Amino acid sequence: MIALDVDGLRKEFTSRSGPPWRRRRETVTAVDGVSFSIPAGEIFSLLGPNGAGKTTCIKMLATLLIPTAGSARVLGHDIVKEEQAVRRLMTAVLPGERTLFWKLTVRENLRYFAALYGLDRAFTDRRIDELTSFFGVAEKLGALVEKLSTGQRQKVVLCRALLPDPALILLDEPTLGLDPHAARSLREMIRAIRDQGKTVLLTTHYMYEADELSDRVAIIHNGRIVCMDSPAVLKRSLNANKIIRLETDVWPHECTMAFDRRFPGNDAVAEERDGQMHVTIMVRSGEIAIGELAGMVNEYGAMITTVRVEEPSLEDVFIEMTGERVESADAEPLLV
Amino acid sequence: MQSHSWYRRFIHPVFSVAWRDIRITTRYKSWFVASFIWPIIFPFSLIFLGQGLAGPDGEGVESFTALAGTSDYSSFLIVGSLVWMFVNINLWMGGLSLMTDRTRGTFDTHWTMPVSKLALVVGATLASLALNFVPMVVAIGFYAAIGWLEMTGSIVQVILAILTVVPFLLGFLLCFAALTVRFREAGILVQVLRTVFSILCGLQFPLAVLPPVLQSIGAAIPLTHFIDLVRTIVIHGGAVFDHAASVAYLLGSGIALSALGAIAFELVRRSVRSSGLVTGY
């Protein structure tokens, strides 16, 4: 069964700028013809840098925004024509720390939101007990939300999202702002939600998070999906056995040319960050001996400070597909 | 289980929103000041101003009586001040409820839920009406106890008079909520409106002192009929339905404005979802 079917979803925003007598209209396409389907019981991630269109996409699916074109159906219900039916089948967790009422207790918050979901009191109280026990916040039911840690608040937000027992949950950057321990704990919870048979659509710009959690990932860049599959297949599609990451003080252009001559069929991508050159080498053909590589780099007056040999990651897939790093995709083009 | 009944979709959420706002407001210590101190001290300055203008022997009271139809200027001013506070609190709490929702960070969550968005505004309005009740009772009790407010009319009739303004208030706040969703910031509009109401509706002075044009505009505002109704019942006694024309005007304009407000709110709700103005701050 298909939980969510998205077809050619597009969103344009029009803004006006300049003085009233010389008003200019500017149209920005935030999401540009995105299509995907999520079978029931899957964790599907939209992965991309800030500004890629993930949040706009999720806001359309959450019925907060109306698409400019295209359509999406939640268990067969159209998100525009049947918005109320969609809102009963799906809940959304949008980013931001203050999606709960801080001056209400956890129980008061959950009862309040249950009333807005149209749930009856007996069902609500049973569900609150189940969910707060499941997420380990049952002992906080009487505490004001302002007294909770960020991680505990995020768990209460998930309790809120699961109150009406939805078929589909949209999670927009759920671990943003959490410390590593809380983020890890929350990822375990998200997997447990999937194990209960729920479908989860997740947006994140953390590559490891998408890799660790998702059954399938769509990499989104400039409002378009550039590739989509399971993390394992995406990494295999790189056609690289391993990745060598070098940090050097310099990486002259001649070095790249020499690399191409010496190690044909392999790719080296270099970028400057924090005053260091970071070189990513995708080993696609044969083996590259580190000693030989270091010797070649030294010939050009460069000094290697760090060498790491890793399995390909989703970040490498992203770089391969877009030519940019996730953190710097908004601004810095790569030096090659 | 999720129910689609009218009660579960609208009535229960309205009361839940109202309960939420009452609970949150009363958890701040400043609520005590707003409910028990402000309503007592607020009318003082107007009453002392009135005493000053009346002159040492109260010779100005005669001309006040000619303009206002009563010599009981302190009751006149106290009722006017309380109505001003009533409008003020409702504008801030009901009218700006969705703006507060935005700044608090709960707006997007509410708008992705199956609850009627009108219920959010109506619930906030209900909360502000309920919270308004406390300062009104405190002020009336205090000024009656010190003898500055002579309650000739019955409290039941005063409450009935207050109920006649509820449809107008609701309609007005729905229009206001539509504005806050569309333009995001409406604090300055509240400041301007309460001043305009205070002038055109004669909240703190007899309407007869205004130029004729402004008097005509003021007479068309339902709030003017409301303040007249409350003042008449408090100062002269009688029943609400002795003033059938004012009651009919208040209820008729209130129902029309509520319908207009609901339509405006729905149109804005659709428009901001298309334009993207629904998100962001």
Side-chain angles (χ1 to χ4, degrees), chain A residues 278-292:
Chain A
H278 294 253
V279 185
T280 304
I281 295 168
M282 297 204 185
V283 184
R284 302 186 202 275
S285 166
E287 289 290 326
I288 293 178
I290 299 296
E292 190 183 355

Side-chain angles (χ1 to χ4, degrees), chain B residues 95-174:
Chain B
L96 296 184
S97 62
L98 295 181
M99 205 177 93
T100 312
D101 221 12
R102 269 192 205 280
T103 49
R104 203 160 33 193
T106 43
F107 182 91
D108 288 359
T109 302
H110 279 138
W111 280 52
T112 60
M113 298 177 87
V115 64
S116 156
K117 306 306 165 265
L118 279 178
L120 301 175
V121 184
V122 176
T125 306
L126 192 65
S128 72
L129 284 169
L131 288 166
N132 252 316
F133 191 71
V134 179
M136 294 293 133
V137 170
V138 167
I140 289 170
F142 174 79
Y143 284 105
I146 65 170
W148 283 14
L149 178 69
E150 285 188 36
M151 278 281 292
T152 310
S154 83
I155 195 77
V156 174
Q157 292 301 323
V158 174
I159 290 171
L160 280 176
I162 290 173
L163 289 179
T164 62
V165 83
V166 170
F168 167 77
L169 202 62
L170 183 62
F172 184 76
L173 295 182
L174 281 174

Side-chain angles (χ1 to χ4, degrees), chain A residues 11 63-66 83-84 87-88 94 98 101 103 108 112 115-120 123 160, chain B residues 1-4 8 16 20 23 27-28 104-105 108-115 269 273-274 278:
Chain A
K11 185 68 193 172
T63 71
L64 201 55
L65 293 173
I66 296 176
E83 62 177 62
Q84 284 300 82
R87 286 171 183 165
R88 283 190 207 103
L94 300 167
R98 288 185 171 261
F101 292 91
K103 277 284 178 197
E108 287 167 345
Y112 166 73
L116 301 199
Y117 281 123
L119 306 178
D120 67 48
F123 178 81
R160 193 267 298 157
Chain B
M1 292 264 82
Q2 283 193 73
S3 164
H4 302 178
R8 285 278 164 215
S16 298
R20 172 205 78 190
R23 199 82 175 166
R27 279 192 175 146
Y28 285 100
R104 203 160 33 193
D108 288 359
T109 302
H110 279 138
W111 280 52
T112 60
M113 298 177 87
V115 64
R269 192 183 74 83
R273 285 178 62 221
S274 273
V278 71

Side-chain angles (χ1 to χ4, degrees), chain B residues 255-275:
Chain B
I255 290 165
L257 193 64
S258 292
L260 185 75
I263 293 167
F265 187 79
E266 183 56 24
L267 289 175
V268 166
R269 192 183 74 83
R270 285 184 198 180
S271 137
V272 293
R273 285 178 62 221
S274 273
S275 64

Side-chain angles (χ1 to χ4, degrees), chain A residues 6 55 75 83 129 136 171 199 210 220 224 228 253 256 272 280 296:
Chain A
V6 179
T55 295
L75 293 168
E83 62 177 62
D129 289 342
L171 301 173
T199 308
I220 186 164
R224 291 180 180 181
M228 175 167 58
H253 183 62
T256 302
E272 191 179 350
T280 304
M296 183 207 83

